[in-house]
Every structure is written in C-alpha cells, then in structure tokens.
C-alpha cells in the first residue's frame, strides 16, 4: 500500500501565487494539501503547518515544493525533520 502523501504549500504574501505549488504537489501524488499565506520566519503563526505536523502518522510523507516553503532557518527545518523522524514520517522536497 502506498504511503499517504500530505502536501504543504506556503507563500509569504498575498501577492505570491500558491497555485503553482499546489499543482506540483498534486502532480506528486498528494491526497491532501494544506496551504497558508504567512511568513516562514517563525512557526508560531503557521497554523496549517501545525495541523499537518499533528496529522502525520508513521509511514506518511510530507511533500513540499521547495525546502524554503517549510522554513527559512536551517534550525527550524532541522527541527521539523526531527519531528517527522520521531513520528516515523518522511520529507520529500520536489525541487532542491
């Protein structure tokens, strides 16, 4: 059975376009895509990312278009990867 793929898309401002990210996530096989328009500087205001992280289970795959959509700081991204690993979930980045 294939692992569930959950997509996460983020833009920093409403002048940016989520549709490109959503289309790429859908093409990558994401059954569920959560998106938000918020700065990536902090996780505090990113309620959709919080929801995704709570939802992920063992064997799930979190898919993002680019790594910078997940977070702007290396520490934040590494913390997220650690949380995914602790849940038994994995991360897939479509464009390095």
């Amino acid at each position: 059975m294939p692992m569930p793929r959950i997509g996460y898309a983020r833009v920093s401002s409403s002048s940016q376009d989520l549709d490109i990210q959503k289309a790429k996530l859908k093409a990558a096989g994401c059954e569920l895509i959560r998106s938000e328009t918020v700065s990536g500087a902090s996780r505090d205001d990113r309620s959709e990312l919080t929801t995704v992280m709570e939802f992920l289970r063992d064997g799930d795959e979190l898919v993002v278009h680019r790594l910078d959509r997940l977070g702007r700081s290396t520490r934040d991204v590494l913390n997220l990867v650690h949380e995914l690993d602790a849940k038994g979930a994995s991360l897939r980045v479509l464009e390095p």
Side-chain angles (χ1 to χ4, degrees), residues 60-96:
D60 289 352
E61 183 178 54
L62 175 61
V63 184
V64 294
H65 177 220
R66 292 192 329 253
L67 199 54
D68 67 347
R69 300 299 86 205
L70 199 54
R72 286 209 311 232
S73 80
T74 303
R75 180 182 298 275
D76 194 30
V77 171
L78 288 173
N79 285 341
L80 284 162
V81 170
H82 178 75
E83 288 175 42
L84 289 169
D85 190 49
K87 292 174 174 277
S90 60
L91 173 66
R92 181 172 167 209
V93 180
L94 300 178
E95 291 183 14

PDB file of all heavy atoms in Angstrom, residues 60-96:
ATOM      1  N   ASP A  60       3.730   8.117   6.789  1.00  0.00           N
ATOM      2  CA  ASP A  60       3.284   9.230   5.952  1.00  0.00           C
ATOM      3  C   ASP A  60       4.478   9.975   5.367  1.00  0.00           C
ATOM      4  O   ASP A  60       5.592   9.889   5.883  1.00  0.00           O
ATOM      5  CB  ASP A  60       2.435  10.220   6.751  1.00  0.00           C
ATOM      6  CG  ASP A  60       1.072   9.687   7.129  1.00  0.00           C
ATOM      7  OD1 ASP A  60       0.700   8.599   6.651  1.00  0.00           O
ATOM      8  OD2 ASP A  60       0.381  10.355   7.918  1.00  0.00           O
ATOM      9  N   GLU A  61       4.213  10.729   4.313  1.00  0.00           N
ATOM     10  CA  GLU A  61       5.247  11.530   3.671  1.00  0.00           C
ATOM     11  C   GLU A  61       4.754  12.970   3.549  1.00  0.00           C
ATOM     12  O   GLU A  61       3.687  13.214   2.990  1.00  0.00           O
ATOM     13  CB  GLU A  61       5.550  10.961   2.282  1.00  0.00           C
ATOM     14  CG  GLU A  61       6.667  11.673   1.555  1.00  0.00           C
ATOM     15  CD  GLU A  61       6.960  11.035   0.206  1.00  0.00           C
ATOM     16  OE1 GLU A  61       6.021  10.890  -0.619  1.00  0.00           O
ATOM     17  OE2 GLU A  61       8.118  10.688  -0.035  1.00  0.00           O
ATOM     18  N   LEU A  62       5.533  13.903   4.096  1.00  0.00           N
ATOM     19  CA  LEU A  62       5.256  15.323   3.933  1.00  0.00           C
ATOM     20  C   LEU A  62       5.986  15.790   2.680  1.00  0.00           C
ATOM     21  O   LEU A  62       7.185  15.559   2.534  1.00  0.00           O
ATOM     22  CB  LEU A  62       5.736  16.113   5.146  1.00  0.00           C
ATOM     23  CG  LEU A  62       5.610  17.644   5.050  1.00  0.00           C
ATOM     24  CD1 LEU A  62       4.156  18.064   4.886  1.00  0.00           C
ATOM     25  CD2 LEU A  62       6.224  18.302   6.277  1.00  0.00           C
ATOM     26  N   VAL A  63       5.253  16.427   1.768  1.00  0.00           N
ATOM     27  CA  VAL A  63       5.830  16.852   0.496  1.00  0.00           C
ATOM     28  C   VAL A  63       5.753  18.375   0.407  1.00  0.00           C
ATOM     29  O   VAL A  63       4.697  18.963   0.658  1.00  0.00           O
ATOM     30  CB  VAL A  63       5.082  16.216  -0.699  1.00  0.00           C
ATOM     31  CG1 VAL A  63       5.752  16.589  -2.009  1.00  0.00           C
ATOM     32  CG2 VAL A  63       5.010  14.696  -0.547  1.00  0.00           C
ATOM     33  N   VAL A  64       6.886  18.993   0.065  1.00  0.00           N
ATOM     34  CA  VAL A  64       6.931  20.434  -0.162  1.00  0.00           C
ATOM     35  C   VAL A  64       7.553  20.696  -1.528  1.00  0.00           C
ATOM     36  O   VAL A  64       8.359  19.902  -2.019  1.00  0.00           O
ATOM     37  CB  VAL A  64       7.713  21.194   0.939  1.00  0.00           C
ATOM     38  CG1 VAL A  64       6.996  21.107   2.274  1.00  0.00           C
ATOM     39  CG2 VAL A  64       9.132  20.695   1.068  1.00  0.00           C
ATOM     40  N   HIS A  65       7.169  21.807  -2.139  1.00  0.00           N
ATOM     41  CA  HIS A  65       7.711  22.178  -3.442  1.00  0.00           C
ATOM     42  C   HIS A  65       9.206  22.459  -3.328  1.00  0.00           C
ATOM     43  O   HIS A  65      10.021  21.888  -4.041  1.00  0.00           O
ATOM     44  CB  HIS A  65       6.949  23.396  -3.969  1.00  0.00           C
ATOM     45  CG  HIS A  65       7.465  23.923  -5.263  1.00  0.00           C
ATOM     46  ND1 HIS A  65       7.566  25.254  -5.515  1.00  0.00           N
ATOM     47  CD2 HIS A  65       7.908  23.300  -6.378  1.00  0.00           C
ATOM     48  CE1 HIS A  65       8.055  25.435  -6.730  1.00  0.00           C
ATOM     49  NE2 HIS A  65       8.262  24.266  -7.272  1.00  0.00           N
ATOM     50  N   ARG A  66       9.567  23.351  -2.404  1.00  0.00           N
ATOM     51  CA  ARG A  66      10.977  23.653  -2.132  1.00  0.00           C
ATOM     52  C   ARG A  66      11.177  23.709  -0.627  1.00  0.00           C
ATOM     53  O   ARG A  66      10.243  24.002   0.114  1.00  0.00           O
ATOM     54  CB  ARG A  66      11.365  25.002  -2.756  1.00  0.00           C
ATOM     55  CG  ARG A  66      11.375  24.999  -4.277  1.00  0.00           C
ATOM     56  CD  ARG A  66      12.040  26.242  -4.870  1.00  0.00           C
ATOM     57  NE  ARG A  66      11.893  27.438  -4.067  1.00  0.00           N
ATOM     58  CZ  ARG A  66      11.091  28.476  -4.380  1.00  0.00           C
ATOM     59  NH1 ARG A  66      10.359  28.445  -5.470  1.00  0.00           N
ATOM     60  NH2 ARG A  66      11.032  29.534  -3.596  1.00  0.00           N
ATOM     61  N   LEU A  67      12.392  23.465  -0.195  1.00  0.00           N
ATOM     62  CA  LEU A  67      12.694  23.433   1.235  1.00  0.00           C
ATOM     63  C   LEU A  67      12.378  24.752   1.919  1.00  0.00           C
ATOM     64  O   LEU A  67      11.931  24.775   3.066  1.00  0.00           O
ATOM     65  CB  LEU A  67      14.168  23.054   1.440  1.00  0.00           C
ATOM     66  CG  LEU A  67      14.556  22.537   2.810  1.00  0.00           C
ATOM     67  CD1 LEU A  67      13.688  21.371   3.232  1.00  0.00           C
ATOM     68  CD2 LEU A  67      16.023  22.144   2.826  1.00  0.00           C
ATOM     69  N   ASP A  68      12.560  25.879   1.227  1.00  0.00           N
ATOM     70  CA  ASP A  68      12.297  27.174   1.859  1.00  0.00           C
ATOM     71  C   ASP A  68      10.816  27.408   2.135  1.00  0.00           C
ATOM     72  O   ASP A  68      10.451  28.327   2.859  1.00  0.00           O
ATOM     73  CB  ASP A  68      12.891  28.324   1.046  1.00  0.00           C
ATOM     74  CG  ASP A  68      12.222  28.532  -0.306  1.00  0.00           C
ATOM     75  OD1 ASP A  68      11.462  27.647  -0.755  1.00  0.00           O
ATOM     76  OD2 ASP A  68      12.485  29.582  -0.916  1.00  0.00           O
ATOM     77  N   ARG A  69       9.930  26.570   1.573  1.00  0.00           N
ATOM     78  CA  ARG A  69       8.499  26.661   1.886  1.00  0.00           C
ATOM     79  C   ARG A  69       8.233  26.091   3.271  1.00  0.00           C
ATOM     80  O   ARG A  69       7.256  26.441   3.916  1.00  0.00           O
ATOM     81  CB  ARG A  69       7.639  25.916   0.859  1.00  0.00           C
ATOM     82  CG  ARG A  69       7.762  26.417  -0.547  1.00  0.00           C
ATOM     83  CD  ARG A  69       7.344  27.870  -0.724  1.00  0.00           C
ATOM     84  NE  ARG A  69       8.442  28.783  -0.436  1.00  0.00           N
ATOM     85  CZ  ARG A  69       8.302  30.055  -0.048  1.00  0.00           C
ATOM     86  NH1 ARG A  69       7.126  30.585   0.125  1.00  0.00           N
ATOM     87  NH2 ARG A  69       9.350  30.821   0.189  1.00  0.00           N
ATOM     88  N   LEU A  70       9.119  25.214   3.726  1.00  0.00           N
ATOM     89  CA  LEU A  70       8.968  24.597   5.040  1.00  0.00           C
ATOM     90  C   LEU A  70       9.451  25.529   6.149  1.00  0.00           C
ATOM     91  O   LEU A  70       8.864  25.590   7.218  1.00  0.00           O
ATOM     92  CB  LEU A  70       9.755  23.280   5.074  1.00  0.00           C
ATOM     93  CG  LEU A  70       9.402  22.268   6.137  1.00  0.00           C
ATOM     94  CD1 LEU A  70       7.928  21.926   6.112  1.00  0.00           C
ATOM     95  CD2 LEU A  70      10.232  21.016   5.951  1.00  0.00           C
ATOM     96  N   GLY A  71      10.523  26.262   5.892  1.00  0.00           N
ATOM     97  CA  GLY A  71      11.045  27.189   6.886  1.00  0.00           C
ATOM     98  C   GLY A  71      12.217  27.959   6.321  1.00  0.00           C
ATOM     99  O   GLY A  71      12.870  27.512   5.381  1.00  0.00           O
ATOM    100  N   ARG A  72      12.468  29.114   6.903  1.00  0.00           N
ATOM    101  CA  ARG A  72      13.557  29.940   6.400  1.00  0.00           C
ATOM    102  C   ARG A  72      14.878  29.672   7.102  1.00  0.00           C
ATOM    103  O   ARG A  72      15.926  29.914   6.532  1.00  0.00           O
ATOM    104  CB  ARG A  72      13.194  31.421   6.523  1.00  0.00           C
ATOM    105  CG  ARG A  72      12.181  31.815   5.483  1.00  0.00           C
ATOM    106  CD  ARG A  72      12.277  33.246   5.065  1.00  0.00           C
ATOM    107  NE  ARG A  72      12.331  34.180   6.161  1.00  0.00           N
ATOM    108  CZ  ARG A  72      11.553  35.237   6.298  1.00  0.00           C
ATOM    109  NH1 ARG A  72      10.627  35.474   5.411  1.00  0.00           N
ATOM    110  NH2 ARG A  72      11.689  36.039   7.308  1.00  0.00           N
ATOM    111  N   SER A  73      14.823  29.208   8.338  1.00  0.00           N
ATOM    112  CA  SER A  73      16.082  28.945   9.044  1.00  0.00           C
ATOM    113  C   SER A  73      16.411  27.458   9.012  1.00  0.00           C
ATOM    114  O   SER A  73      15.526  26.601   9.063  1.00  0.00           O
ATOM    115  CB  SER A  73      16.008  29.431  10.492  1.00  0.00           C
ATOM    116  OG  SER A  73      15.315  28.501  11.300  1.00  0.00           O
ATOM    117  N   THR A  74      17.685  27.169   8.905  1.00  0.00           N
ATOM    118  CA  THR A  74      18.152  25.784   8.901  1.00  0.00           C
ATOM    119  C   THR A  74      17.717  25.080  10.176  1.00  0.00           C
ATOM    120  O   THR A  74      17.270  23.935  10.149  1.00  0.00           O
ATOM    121  CB  THR A  74      19.685  25.738   8.756  1.00  0.00           C
ATOM    122  OG1 THR A  74      20.040  26.435   7.564  1.00  0.00           O
ATOM    123  CG2 THR A  74      20.192  24.315   8.694  1.00  0.00           C
ATOM    124  N   ARG A  75      17.818  25.774  11.306  1.00  0.00           N
ATOM    125  CA  ARG A  75      17.434  25.174  12.589  1.00  0.00           C
ATOM    126  C   ARG A  75      15.965  24.771  12.589  1.00  0.00           C
ATOM    127  O   ARG A  75      15.603  23.672  13.024  1.00  0.00           O
ATOM    128  CB  ARG A  75      17.705  26.154  13.740  1.00  0.00           C
ATOM    129  CG  ARG A  75      17.317  25.582  15.104  1.00  0.00           C
ATOM    130  CD  ARG A  75      17.542  26.571  16.221  1.00  0.00           C
ATOM    131  NE  ARG A  75      18.940  26.956  16.363  1.00  0.00           N
ATOM    132  CZ  ARG A  75      19.838  26.276  17.070  1.00  0.00           C
ATOM    133  NH1 ARG A  75      19.474  25.163  17.679  1.00  0.00           N
ATOM    134  NH2 ARG A  75      21.069  26.679  17.161  1.00  0.00           N
ATOM    135  N   ASP A  76      15.089  25.635  12.085  1.00  0.00           N
ATOM    136  CA  ASP A  76      13.655  25.336  12.046  1.00  0.00           C
ATOM    137  C   ASP A  76      13.389  24.115  11.170  1.00  0.00           C
ATOM    138  O   ASP A  76      12.627  23.217  11.541  1.00  0.00           O
ATOM    139  CB  ASP A  76      12.877  26.554  11.537  1.00  0.00           C
ATOM    140  CG  ASP A  76      11.385  26.443  11.783  1.00  0.00           C
ATOM    141  OD1 ASP A  76      10.994  25.793  12.777  1.00  0.00           O
ATOM    142  OD2 ASP A  76      10.617  27.009  10.992  1.00  0.00           O
ATOM    143  N   VAL A  77      14.020  24.072  10.005  1.00  0.00           N
ATOM    144  CA  VAL A  77      13.827  22.938   9.097  1.00  0.00           C
ATOM    145  C   VAL A  77      14.341  21.656   9.740  1.00  0.00           C
ATOM    146  O   VAL A  77      13.680  20.614   9.683  1.00  0.00           O
ATOM    147  CB  VAL A  77      14.497  23.203   7.734  1.00  0.00           C
ATOM    148  CG1 VAL A  77      14.495  21.944   6.880  1.00  0.00           C
ATOM    149  CG2 VAL A  77      13.788  24.343   7.007  1.00  0.00           C
ATOM    150  N   LEU A  78      15.508  21.721  10.374  1.00  0.00           N
ATOM    151  CA  LEU A  78      16.059  20.531  11.036  1.00  0.00           C
ATOM    152  C   LEU A  78      15.156  20.062  12.178  1.00  0.00           C
ATOM    153  O   LEU A  78      14.972  18.857  12.366  1.00  0.00           O
ATOM    154  CB  LEU A  78      17.471  20.804  11.553  1.00  0.00           C
ATOM    155  CG  LEU A  78      18.547  20.909  10.482  1.00  0.00           C
ATOM    156  CD1 LEU A  78      19.880  21.342  11.097  1.00  0.00           C
ATOM    157  CD2 LEU A  78      18.716  19.599   9.733  1.00  0.00           C
ATOM    158  N   ASN A  79      14.575  20.995  12.915  1.00  0.00           N
ATOM    159  CA  ASN A  79      13.639  20.624  13.980  1.00  0.00           C
ATOM    160  C   ASN A  79      12.418  19.909  13.404  1.00  0.00           C
ATOM    161  O   ASN A  79      11.953  18.910  13.957  1.00  0.00           O
ATOM    162  CB  ASN A  79      13.192  21.860  14.768  1.00  0.00           C
ATOM    163  CG  ASN A  79      14.268  22.373  15.709  1.00  0.00           C
ATOM    164  OD1 ASN A  79      15.204  21.667  16.046  1.00  0.00           O
ATOM    165  ND2 ASN A  79      14.134  23.621  16.102  1.00  0.00           N
ATOM    166  N   LEU A  80      11.908  20.414  12.290  1.00  0.00           N
ATOM    167  CA  LEU A  80      10.764  19.768  11.635  1.00  0.00           C
ATOM    168  C   LEU A  80      11.123  18.363  11.157  1.00  0.00           C
ATOM    169  O   LEU A  80      10.344  17.423  11.337  1.00  0.00           O
ATOM    170  CB  LEU A  80      10.281  20.614  10.459  1.00  0.00           C
ATOM    171  CG  LEU A  80       9.468  21.852  10.833  1.00  0.00           C
ATOM    172  CD1 LEU A  80       9.410  22.830   9.670  1.00  0.00           C
ATOM    173  CD2 LEU A  80       8.070  21.453  11.261  1.00  0.00           C
ATOM    174  N   VAL A  81      12.299  18.215  10.556  1.00  0.00           N
ATOM    175  CA  VAL A  81      12.740  16.892  10.088  1.00  0.00           C
ATOM    176  C   VAL A  81      12.868  15.936  11.274  1.00  0.00           C
ATOM    177  O   VAL A  81      12.461  14.773  11.190  1.00  0.00           O
ATOM    178  CB  VAL A  81      14.060  17.011   9.294  1.00  0.00           C
ATOM    179  CG1 VAL A  81      14.652  15.633   9.019  1.00  0.00           C
ATOM    180  CG2 VAL A  81      13.834  17.768   7.996  1.00  0.00           C
ATOM    181  N   HIS A  82      13.383  16.438  12.393  1.00  0.00           N
ATOM    182  CA  HIS A  82      13.498  15.615  13.601  1.00  0.00           C
ATOM    183  C   HIS A  82      12.113  15.174  14.085  1.00  0.00           C
ATOM    184  O   HIS A  82      11.920  14.007  14.451  1.00  0.00           O
ATOM    185  CB  HIS A  82      14.237  16.405  14.695  1.00  0.00           C
ATOM    186  CG  HIS A  82      14.365  15.658  15.976  1.00  0.00           C
ATOM    187  ND1 HIS A  82      15.258  14.613  16.143  1.00  0.00           N
ATOM    188  CD2 HIS A  82      13.702  15.778  17.146  1.00  0.00           C
ATOM    189  CE1 HIS A  82      15.133  14.135  17.368  1.00  0.00           C
ATOM    190  NE2 HIS A  82      14.191  14.822  17.994  1.00  0.00           N
ATOM    191  N   GLU A  83      11.146  16.091  14.081  1.00  0.00           N
ATOM    192  CA  GLU A  83       9.778  15.747  14.491  1.00  0.00           C
ATOM    193  C   GLU A  83       9.171  14.714  13.552  1.00  0.00           C
ATOM    194  O   GLU A  83       8.491  13.780  14.002  1.00  0.00           O
ATOM    195  CB  GLU A  83       8.900  16.998  14.521  1.00  0.00           C
ATOM    196  CG  GLU A  83       9.210  17.935  15.663  1.00  0.00           C
ATOM    197  CD  GLU A  83       8.396  19.220  15.585  1.00  0.00           C
ATOM    198  OE1 GLU A  83       7.180  19.142  15.278  1.00  0.00           O
ATOM    199  OE2 GLU A  83       8.971  20.294  15.818  1.00  0.00           O
ATOM    200  N   LEU A  84       9.399  14.878  12.247  1.00  0.00           N
ATOM    201  CA  LEU A  84       8.897  13.901  11.277  1.00  0.00           C
ATOM    202  C   LEU A  84       9.499  12.527  11.554  1.00  0.00           C
ATOM    203  O   LEU A  84       8.793  11.515  11.563  1.00  0.00           O
ATOM    204  CB  LEU A  84       9.246  14.334   9.850  1.00  0.00           C
ATOM    205  CG  LEU A  84       8.489  15.535   9.291  1.00  0.00           C
ATOM    206  CD1 LEU A  84       9.133  16.004   7.998  1.00  0.00           C
ATOM    207  CD2 LEU A  84       7.028  15.200   9.076  1.00  0.00           C
ATOM    208  N   ASP A  85      10.802  12.497  11.780  1.00  0.00           N
ATOM    209  CA  ASP A  85      11.506  11.249  12.040  1.00  0.00           C
ATOM    210  C   ASP A  85      10.956  10.565  13.297  1.00  0.00           C
ATOM    211  O   ASP A  85      10.753   9.346  13.311  1.00  0.00           O
ATOM    212  CB  ASP A  85      13.011  11.530  12.182  1.00  0.00           C
ATOM    213  CG  ASP A  85      13.831  10.264  12.203  1.00  0.00           C
ATOM    214  OD1 ASP A  85      13.630   9.405  11.324  1.00  0.00           O
ATOM    215  OD2 ASP A  85      14.673  10.121  13.117  1.00  0.00           O
ATOM    216  N   ALA A  86      10.688  11.347  14.329  1.00  0.00           N
ATOM    217  CA  ALA A  86      10.150  10.797  15.579  1.00  0.00           C
ATOM    218  C   ALA A  86       8.774  10.167  15.362  1.00  0.00           C
ATOM    219  O   ALA A  86       8.398   9.223  16.055  1.00  0.00           O
ATOM    220  CB  ALA A  86      10.078  11.893  16.647  1.00  0.00           C
ATOM    221  N   LYS A  87       8.007  10.677  14.391  1.00  0.00           N
ATOM    222  CA  LYS A  87       6.683  10.134  14.070  1.00  0.00           C
ATOM    223  C   LYS A  87       6.770   8.955  13.106  1.00  0.00           C
ATOM    224  O   LYS A  87       5.764   8.322  12.816  1.00  0.00           O
ATOM    225  CB  LYS A  87       5.814  11.220  13.421  1.00  0.00           C
ATOM    226  CG  LYS A  87       5.407  12.348  14.325  1.00  0.00           C
ATOM    227  CD  LYS A  87       4.675  13.415  13.514  1.00  0.00           C
ATOM    228  CE  LYS A  87       4.127  14.497  14.362  1.00  0.00           C
ATOM    229  NZ  LYS A  87       2.825  14.148  14.958  1.00  0.00           N
ATOM    230  N   GLY A  88       7.947   8.721  12.518  1.00  0.00           N
ATOM    231  CA  GLY A  88       8.085   7.680  11.515  1.00  0.00           C
ATOM    232  C   GLY A  88       7.667   8.164  10.138  1.00  0.00           C
ATOM    233  O   GLY A  88       7.445   7.369   9.227  1.00  0.00           O
ATOM    234  N   ALA A  89       7.530   9.481   9.980  1.00  0.00           N
ATOM    235  CA  ALA A  89       7.152  10.074   8.702  1.00  0.00           C
ATOM    236  C   ALA A  89       8.411  10.556   7.984  1.00  0.00           C
ATOM    237  O   ALA A  89       9.477  10.673   8.576  1.00  0.00           O
ATOM    238  CB  ALA A  89       6.194  11.241   8.925  1.00  0.00           C
ATOM    239  N   SER A  90       8.256  10.856   6.692  1.00  0.00           N
ATOM    240  CA  SER A  90       9.422  11.304   5.919  1.00  0.00           C
ATOM    241  C   SER A  90       9.103  12.612   5.210  1.00  0.00           C
ATOM    242  O   SER A  90       7.952  13.028   5.125  1.00  0.00           O
ATOM    243  CB  SER A  90       9.818  10.238   4.899  1.00  0.00           C
ATOM    244  OG  SER A  90       8.754   9.977   4.005  1.00  0.00           O
ATOM    245  N   LEU A  91      10.147  13.243   4.711  1.00  0.00           N
ATOM    246  CA  LEU A  91      10.024  14.508   3.987  1.00  0.00           C
ATOM    247  C   LEU A  91      10.489  14.303   2.559  1.00  0.00           C
ATOM    248  O   LEU A  91      11.516  13.674   2.306  1.00  0.00           O
ATOM    249  CB  LEU A  91      10.886  15.585   4.658  1.00  0.00           C
ATOM    250  CG  LEU A  91      10.992  16.929   3.918  1.00  0.00           C
ATOM    251  CD1 LEU A  91       9.635  17.621   3.878  1.00  0.00           C
ATOM    252  CD2 LEU A  91      12.035  17.817   4.592  1.00  0.00           C
ATOM    253  N   ARG A  92       9.724  14.856   1.614  1.00  0.00           N
ATOM    254  CA  ARG A  92      10.117  14.836   0.207  1.00  0.00           C
ATOM    255  C   ARG A  92      10.087  16.266  -0.303  1.00  0.00           C
ATOM    256  O   ARG A  92       9.079  16.968  -0.169  1.00  0.00           O
ATOM    257  CB  ARG A  92       9.156  13.979  -0.592  1.00  0.00           C
ATOM    258  CG  ARG A  92       9.506  13.898  -2.060  1.00  0.00           C
ATOM    259  CD  ARG A  92       8.602  12.859  -2.733  1.00  0.00           C
ATOM    260  NE  ARG A  92       8.694  12.969  -4.159  1.00  0.00           N
ATOM    261  CZ  ARG A  92       7.720  12.655  -4.995  1.00  0.00           C
ATOM    262  NH1 ARG A  92       6.578  12.190  -4.525  1.00  0.00           N
ATOM    263  NH2 ARG A  92       7.872  12.774  -6.287  1.00  0.00           N
ATOM    264  N   VAL A  93      11.206  16.711  -0.874  1.00  0.00           N
ATOM    265  CA  VAL A  93      11.317  18.051  -1.445  1.00  0.00           C
ATOM    266  C   VAL A  93      11.359  17.881  -2.965  1.00  0.00           C
ATOM    267  O   VAL A  93      12.223  17.197  -3.491  1.00  0.00           O
ATOM    268  CB  VAL A  93      12.577  18.773  -0.930  1.00  0.00           C
ATOM    269  CG1 VAL A  93      12.684  20.171  -1.529  1.00  0.00           C
ATOM    270  CG2 VAL A  93      12.588  18.834   0.596  1.00  0.00           C
ATOM    271  N   LEU A  94      10.397  18.502  -3.670  1.00  0.00           N
ATOM    272  CA  LEU A  94      10.275  18.307  -5.108  1.00  0.00           C
ATOM    273  C   LEU A  94      11.379  18.998  -5.898  1.00  0.00           C
ATOM    274  O   LEU A  94      11.893  18.447  -6.858  1.00  0.00           O
ATOM    275  CB  LEU A  94       8.912  18.772  -5.599  1.00  0.00           C
ATOM    276  CG  LEU A  94       7.709  18.058  -4.970  1.00  0.00           C
ATOM    277  CD1 LEU A  94       6.414  18.652  -5.505  1.00  0.00           C
ATOM    278  CD2 LEU A  94       7.764  16.565  -5.222  1.00  0.00           C
ATOM    279  N   GLU A  95      11.739  20.228  -5.503  1.00  0.00           N
ATOM    280  CA  GLU A  95      12.788  20.959  -6.204  1.00  0.00           C
ATOM    281  C   GLU A  95      13.837  21.411  -5.212  1.00  0.00           C
ATOM    282  O   GLU A  95      13.562  22.274  -4.392  1.00  0.00           O
ATOM    283  CB  GLU A  95      12.194  22.169  -6.947  1.00  0.00           C
ATOM    284  CG  GLU A  95      11.324  21.783  -8.113  1.00  0.00           C
ATOM    285  CD  GLU A  95      10.812  22.998  -8.888  1.00  0.00           C
ATOM    286  OE1 GLU A  95      11.327  24.100  -8.702  1.00  0.00           O
ATOM    287  OE2 GLU A  95       9.888  22.803  -9.684  1.00  0.00           O
ATOM    288  N   PRO A  96      15.049  20.848  -5.303  1.00  0.00           N
ATOM    289  CA  PRO A  96      16.098  21.217  -4.348  1.00  0.00           C
ATOM    290  C   PRO A  96      16.544  22.673  -4.513  1.00  0.00           C
ATOM    291  O   PRO A  96      16.344  23.278  -5.521  1.00  0.00           O
ATOM    292  CB  PRO A  96      17.248  20.283  -4.679  1.00  0.00           C
ATOM    293  CG  PRO A  96      16.909  19.607  -5.942  1.00  0.00           C
ATOM    294  CD  PRO A  96      15.470  19.851  -6.234  1.00  0.00           C
TER     295      PRO A  96
END
